[in-house]
Amino acid sequence: MSKTPLQFRHNGRDVAIFVDGGTNLLVALRELIGDMTPKFGCGQGGCGTCSVLIDGELHLSCLTLAETVAGRSVETLDGMKQGPNLHPLQRAFADAFAAQCGYCTPGMLMAAKALLDRNPSPSRADVVEAISGNICRCTGYESIINAILAASGGRASA
Amino acid sequence: MAVTVKTFASSNEAATALSSDRTARYLGGGTLVMRALNEGDVSISTVVRASDQALTRIDASGPRITLGAGVTFARVLAERDLAFLHAPARSIGGPAVRNMGTVGGNLFAPNPYGDFAVALLALDATVAVQGGFGSRDIAIEEFLQSRERQSGALVLSVSCTRPASADAFRYRKVARIKPKGGSVITLAAHLPISGGRIAGARIALGSMAPTQIRAKAAERALEGRVLDAATIAAAASAVTEGTAPSDNALGSAWYRREIVGVHLRRLLSGQE
Ligand SMILES: Cc1cc2nc3c(=O)[nH]c(=O)nc-3n(C[C@H](O)[C@H](O)[C@H](O)COP(=O)(O)OP(=O)(O)OC[C@H]3O[C@@H](n4cnc5c(N)ncnc54)[C@H](O)[C@@H]3O)c2cc1C
Ligand code: FES
Ligand code: FES
């Protein structure tokens, strides 16, 4: 089976790799680019921990055929921090104890970023909706919701 | 196992590639195809894609609307002219699934999925398909009944007539986990009114048979009537006729038969 060349933007940097037919984006990111921030949870679309932004839109990397991101921009948690500083969402997660084992955290942060990029002052219901595709086994969600509200312009409603 | 990915610029070429290879599967948003590949489904050895712009076109300005098969639920939700389809689109998955999953893929989604197709069935939609033989339009009911035999044909678009008023079309998905759980049952009702009476009633059900079905006995109970309590009760008691639900992790067949009439009554009487 021949490999297919694939080029795309990964956290603002151009990357070029060769993929096997049918490779999903999660495998391409972790095994071929070495970006371990998107996690493998289920491989079925059910947990959301592999979430990334493709051209700014939230997608599940485990269900994305790698070849479909050719020429597009992919953002992962690895690209979130701002220079040496944490992104406000990352800081809010740490401050609000929104991560326990941390397995869901990369996907939660990407889902939260997708929301705040579009709507800087979300309501609590907007936040609940935005993370509804992401499963957390540890926190019971409240601390995550509070962290996202705290990082948003809608701070007052936290 | 690696598969061969073939990407075509035109839907014509993609349709030819699909119809000539039994191991080929079309990739829409991939939410089900990629899951199958991740699980090691060896029946797929070729994945066919089409980058044809026509597949992602939305025509929502007139009384008849057309959605390209590749239109995602997020795009349906972003279109103000498609407000009548927002409830079914919003009921599917979480935000990432709605950004990826397509209208065309939903027509093939097995139980407990296919929620958008339930809405389209109640709206008497037409499915435009292209096979090795050329393209043709099929009524959605016939399409869904013969779905197993449709593999190898490419869906180009679906179209339907816009309901006359917001009240004429109603949709409800019953799920245990909100907002994104799988369907216990899904109901859609189109109730056009002519001279104060229902004319052309359509009731469609999801998860009540191997594919989405029309509840024809309930439709007959509504036809030509005024939508009052007696008519609603008659429709609700007829709604299980012809259904064949199955047991799954979301609900038993018995439970589905018990609750479908209750939910139809609530839907028709405008209750939450
Ligand atoms: C976590 C999760 C939650 C979900 N929740 C729901 C839900 O609540 N309700 C629901 O209805 N669905 C749900 N789904 C299922 C699925 O996402 C949707 O049904 C979606 O519409 C499928 O579209 P797709 O484009 O992703 O399909 P794909 O995976 O690309 O394709 C599915 C099937 O359709 C065929 N196909 C796709 N497009 C065409 C075409 N144009 N012509 C011919 N064949 C085609 C493919 O070959 C394949 O056999 C969920 C899925 C996941 C992973
Ligand atoms: S690993 Fe992708 S959704 Fe679970
Ligand atoms: S912190 Fe453990 S899964 Fe969310």
Side-chain angles (χ1 to χ4, degrees), chain B residues 41-263:
Chain B
D41 183 338
V42 291
S43 71
I44 311 172
S45 41
T46 307
V47 167
V48 172
R49 297 170 59 216
S51 54
D52 200 326
Q53 303 264 320
L55 291 172
T56 52
R57 201 168 291 152
I58 295 180
D59 180 0
S61 50
R64 196 158 175 88
I65 63 124
T66 301
L67 304 176
V71 168
T72 62
F73 303 115
R75 282 199 53 217
V76 170
L77 285 166
E79 196 75 44
R80 236 200 265 163
D81 286 336
L82 293 175
F84 67 103
L85 290 172
H86 284 186
R90 200 178 301 114
S91 78
I92 293 172
V97 170
R98 293 195 290 274
N99 285 336
M100 301 173 72
T102 65
V103 169
N106 203 258
L107 298 175
F108 295 90
N111 260 340
Y113 297 144
D115 293 318
F116 203 76
V118 175
L120 292 173
L121 179 58
L123 290 163
D124 270 336
T126 300
V127 183
V129 298
Q130 173 143 27
F133 46 79
S135 64
R136 65 187 175 121
D137 289 344
I138 312 180
I140 188 167
E141 189 180 9
E142 186 192 339
F143 178 91
L144 293 170
Q145 295 308 316
S146 61
R147 187 165 68 183
E148 299 309 314
R149 280 175 280 127
Q150 303 291 350
S151 61
L154 179 68
V155 172
L156 301 175
S157 64
V158 292
S159 44
C160 68
T161 306
R162 183 188 301 283
S165 68
D167 211 30
F169 179 70
R170 302 164 190 206
Y171 172 88
R172 170 181 296 233
K173 170 171 158 180
V174 181
R176 291 176 191 273
I177 301 167
K178 292 190 172 151
K180 66 141 199 173
S183 154
V184 178
I185 52 171
T186 304
L187 307 93
H190 186 208
L191 306 170
I193 304 285
S194 170
R197 294 180 180 271
I198 300 164
R202 290 287 179 272
I203 306 291
L205 304 173
S207 296
M208 286 302 291
T211 63
Q212 299 85 343
I213 52 164
R214 292 227 332 249
K216 294 194 177 170
E219 291 175 357
R220 281 194 298 275
L222 294 165
E223 194 61 28
R225 306 267 157 76
V226 174
L227 192 62
D228 58 15
T231 304
I232 291 172
S237 63
V239 71
T240 50
E241 198 179 308
T243 61
S246 49
D247 297 326
N248 67 15
L250 299 161
S252 65
W254 172 83
Y255 180 68
R256 292 188 157 95
R257 265 191 226 99
E258 289 294 311
I259 65 165
V260 66
V262 175
H263 286 287

Side-chain angles (χ1 to χ4, degrees), chain A residues 77-88 90-91:
Chain A
L77 178 61
D78 198 35
M80 205 180 206
K81 63 182 185 301
Q82 301 170 333
N85 301 316
L86 292 179
H87 184 279
Q90 292 175 300
R91 202 160 350 96

Side-chain angles (χ1 to χ4, degrees), chain A residues 98-105 135-139 144:
Chain A
Q100 287 186 26
C101 78
Y103 209 79
C104 68
T105 310
I135 290 177
C136 176
R137 300 269 177 212
C138 310
T139 69
I144 296 176

Side-chain angles (χ1 to χ4, degrees), chain A residues 121-130 141-143 145-146 149 157-158:
Chain A
S121 306
S123 66
R124 191 180 175 84
D126 295 333
V127 173
V128 170
E129 168 64 34
Y141 302 101
E142 284 304 305
S143 49
I145 295 165
N146 290 336
L149 284 169
S157 48

